[in-house]
Amino acid sequence: QGVLRCAMPPRTFGGSCSDGAVDDLFWQWAMREGIEALACAPSFFHEGWRGIAATADIAPGDVILRVPGSLLMSARSASTDRDLCAALETHGQRLTPTERLACHLLHEASKGSSGKWHAYITQLPRTYNLLCVWTEEEIQELQDEFAMDTATRCVTTMHASHANALPTLRVGLSLPKAYTTQKAWAWARSTV
């Protein structure tokens, strides 16, 4: 572990703080799997969010992060999962590409530590503050009719999307209930 740490980008820099911005096990997994942070590092920012920050000046065209295609969760990676392909073929033909990717994410999340992307999935935010997950009370606080209508449409769209995906999640993939709830779906769709 000490040798691997020495090969990692600096953990603090430029006014932001990298301490704790990423789990060490995830960082080790990322490096082992071929991710190269060339001019960036995970960081917490003073504004209260987490991401990657430049560790050096970046010129147009510079590569700052390399991620092998095999690590990208995408339509391509979904097409290599036989169970997911079968579920989408039999129960998910009318799903949008975004909904298909959300099904892929929930399927992978349901695999726990045995899943290919477990280290990555554990780093994702657990919640989001997006209109599509607002409660009726939060929407009412907007007070403006246009804003409330917009927020309500976002929530309605999320619920309809969940209803469309349920056959794929419950029947096609037979996911545990925790991965088929409205809350789980909102998390996956928001992540995608």
Side-chain angles (χ1 to χ4, degrees):
Q1 186 176 17
V3 174
L4 190 54
R5 261 183 188 265
C6 295
M8 293 182 196
R11 301 293 264 178
T12 61
F13 50 88
S16 57
C17 176
S18 289
D19 288 340
V22 67
D23 179 74
D24 284 336
L25 293 176
F26 169 73
W27 197 242
Q28 291 169 10
W29 171 83
M31 297 294 134
R32 187 175 57 249
E33 293 295 323
I35 293 175
E36 296 178 72
L38 305 171
C40 65
S43 183
F44 282 117
F45 295 87
H46 296 297
E47 292 83 3
W49 47 276
R50 180 180 75 158
I52 62 170
T55 57
D57 291 339
I58 302 170
D62 282 356
V63 175
I64 61 168
L65 181 68
R66 283 194 180 112
V67 179
S70 62
L71 288 185
L72 301 177
M73 189 175 286
S74 63
R76 182 176 289 149
S77 65
S79 71
T80 65
D81 184 320
R82 289 182 184 179
D83 294 337
L84 181 60
C85 285
L88 291 171
E89 182 63 33
T90 58
H91 296 91
Q93 294 177 338
R94 294 173 31 204
L95 296 178
T96 67
T98 301
E99 290 167 339
R100 288 171 169 258
L101 193 52
C103 287
H104 184 20
L105 176 57
L106 285 170
H107 186 229
E108 284 300 319
S110 75
K111 295 176 183 179
S113 60
S114 66
K116 176 181 178 175
W117 286 282
H118 176 71
Y120 167 70
I121 291 170
T122 60
Q123 293 299 301
L124 294 172
R126 300 283 48 118
T127 60
Y128 297 93
N129 188 16
L130 302 173
L131 287 179
C132 61
V133 296
W134 279 22
T135 65
E136 184 60 36
E137 294 78 28
E138 290 169 316
I139 291 171
Q140 292 301 317
E141 289 179 18
L142 292 171
Q143 297 179 358
D144 178 75
E145 190 171 326
F146 178 77
M148 292 187 315
D149 286 346
T150 300
T152 299
R153 277 195 309 278
C154 288
V155 170
T156 301
T157 300
M158 181 64 79
H159 286 286
S161 176
H162 179 237
N164 288 340
L166 275 176
T168 304
L169 300 172
R170 287 186 179 162
V171 180
L173 291 170
S174 301
L175 294 184
K177 185 171 177 58
Y179 297 94
T180 66
T181 64
Q182 175 68 39
K183 183 178 180 180
W185 182 252
W187 168 78
R189 276 292 308 268
S190 296
T191 299
V192 170

